[in-house]
Amino acid sequence: MEIRVLQYFLAIAREQSIVRAAQSLHLSQPTLSTQIKNLEEELGKQLFIRGTKGSRKVTLTEEGMILRKRAEEILDLVKKAENEILLSDSVIIGDVYIGAGETDGMRLLAKMAGKLRRDYPGIHYHISSGNANFVMERLDKGLIDFGLIFMLPDLKKYDVLKLPTKNVWVVIMQKDDPLAEKESISPEDLWDKPLILSQELTESSPLIRWMRKKPSTLNTTVSYNLLFNASLFVEEGLGYAISFDKLLNISGDSGLVIRPLNPPLEVKMYLVWKKYQVFSKAADKFLQTLHESLDEKVNV
């Protein structure tokens, strides 16, 4: 039984699909199917229940669930051994790929990169920006190592590190708007106003729950996924943009102002990566440094 094949097995268990697992592993579907068939023959047990003709979903058999638990333990030990060997080398070079939405929380990751840069100048960073769907899609396809998101993902598929920073929701409006005279903005203040809202909002979103209105009843004049673009529509009088704080530099002769929500609304942030992910040496070092830094803050 090879470690590589165990990784293939766990990828299928995670994705519940041979097609999606093959894509994430950068293998052809027939190659992956053959590897798993050989594993089942080697063990003399069926590991997956294939879906009906119209469904590609696969589920674990009882024997498959046993193997998943043991495979996870085996790969954890292998990973620890690799880390002890790889990270003992003072020469670490490579690339770290991160996907994230617009958030000031990226500052924490930037600080980690700066800390590493002094000792490991050969590590390079690649940042992809977009909404949560964009980030998770790139993560699933193996195009990025880490995703920075604002909600807990499926813990069966992803490992998660909760970050000690939060995003605070605010309203952005014209400086001469009557609401700008208020210190904070309540849901009732916005019920009859034209709104500029994120494209990702759903009925279960914290902001929608804060508004106490269904999305279909709100007067959404503009939807956005990049706040700078949305702010231009605010400047032109098309509505009030609701977004995370610290994303716009409003100072000097800007015609815009920012007001907090009342009651306040905060969103937690998580760094996520795929379970059983095989990281580059650079990505491993980045994650290790982030873990150590957060542990130091907790112990202070």
Side-chain angles (χ1 to χ4, degrees):
M1 189 184 306
E2 299 180 27
I3 296 298
R4 171 179 54 83
V5 178
L6 288 180
Q7 291 173 330
Y8 294 169
F9 164 76
L10 289 174
I12 297 174
R14 177 189 67 220
E15 301 291 348
Q16 296 184 316
S17 165
I18 294 178
V19 174
R20 290 198 299 270
Q23 291 173 344
S24 70
L25 294 167
H26 305 291
L27 295 173
S28 68
Q29 181 183 345
T31 297
L32 182 57
S33 297
T34 299
Q35 293 286 343
I36 297 305
K37 181 180 179 181
N38 292 342
L39 177 61
E40 290 178 322
E41 291 177 352
E42 178 183 348
L43 297 174
K45 297 290 184 181
Q46 182 179 348
L47 301 174
F48 292 101
I49 300 173
R50 277 69 173 178
T52 59
K53 187 175 181 180
S55 172
R56 294 183 176 181
K57 183 177 180 180
V58 296
T59 56
L60 289 168
T61 62
E62 184 176 348
E63 291 79 8
M65 288 187 282
I66 294 172
L67 180 60
R68 179 177 63 182
K69 184 176 186 301
R70 297 306 179 195
E72 290 172 350
E73 294 171 353
I74 291 169
L75 290 183
D76 280 344
L77 289 174
V78 171
K79 193 67 174 177
K80 288 178 182 177
E82 289 177 344
N83 286 342
E84 290 174 1
I85 295 170
L86 291 174
L87 298 182
S88 65
D89 187 353
S90 59
V91 180
I92 297 179
I93 60 175
D95 301 289
V96 179
Y97 296 86
I98 303 171
E102 288 186 297
T103 170
D104 186 64
M106 181 59 77
R107 190 179 302 277
L108 175 62
L109 303 188
K111 287 181 178 179
M112 292 302 103
K115 183 177 180 181
L116 277 174
R117 185 71 174 174
R118 291 188 289 270
D119 296 324
Y120 306 101
I123 298 180
H124 302 278
Y125 301 88
H126 308 272
I127 311 301
S128 300
S129 299
N131 59 27
N133 291 334
F134 170 85
V135 171
M136 298 309 291
E137 181 180 351
R138 293 183 70 82
L139 192 63
D140 287 339
K141 289 182 177 180
L143 300 176
I144 57 176
D145 299 309
F146 308 103
L148 186 59
I149 61 176
F150 314 121
M151 64 191 77
L152 271 175
D154 183 351
L155 298 181
K156 294 180 181 178
K157 294 179 60 176
Y158 306 97
D159 285 320
V160 176
L161 180 61
K162 181 181 176 183
L163 300 181
T165 54
K166 296 180 180 179
N167 286 297
V168 178
W169 285 94
V170 296
V171 182
I172 302 168
M173 65 190 76
Q174 292 180 329
K175 185 177 293 185
D176 58 358
D177 190 279
L179 283 186
E181 299 178 4
K182 302 188 64 170
E183 294 184 358
S184 60
I185 305 301
S186 67
E188 293 83 355
D189 292 328
L190 300 173
W191 283 349
D192 61 345
K193 300 295 190 295
L195 301 178
I196 300 174
L197 302 176
S198 168
Q199 295 172 358
E200 290 192 88
L201 293 179
T202 65
E203 291 194 14
S204 60
S205 299
L207 178 61
I208 296 301
R209 293 199 298 268
W210 179 87
M211 291 286 293
R212 304 199 305 274
K213 290 282 188 179
K214 291 184 177 181
S216 59
T217 65
L218 298 174
N219 181 17
T220 304
T221 58
V222 179
S223 65
Y224 72 89
N225 65 348
L226 292 174
L227 182 60
F228 175 77
N229 292 340
S231 70
L232 301 180
F233 284 79
V234 178
E235 290 181 354
E236 295 301 322
L238 272 78
Y240 301 75
I242 307 180
S243 75
F244 293 144
D245 197 9
K246 299 181 180 179
L247 297 182
L248 282 181
N249 182 14
I250 296 179
S251 59
D253 59 355
S254 171
L256 303 179
V257 294
I258 295 175
R259 295 292 181 263
L261 302 186
N262 183 25
L265 180 61
E266 298 178 338
V267 178
K268 299 175 182 177
M269 285 194 300
Y270 305 91
L271 189 72
V272 303
W273 59 96
K274 296 181 77 169
K275 280 186 178 292
Y276 327 117
Q277 177 71 37
V278 179
F279 286 128
S280 68
K281 199 173 181 180
D284 258 326
K285 189 63 178 177
F286 177 80
L287 184 59
Q288 182 195 48
T289 302
L290 184 58
H291 270 294
E292 292 173 352
S293 177
L294 296 183
D295 287 343
E296 288 174 2
K297 291 182 178 181
V298 171
N299 293 328
V300 171

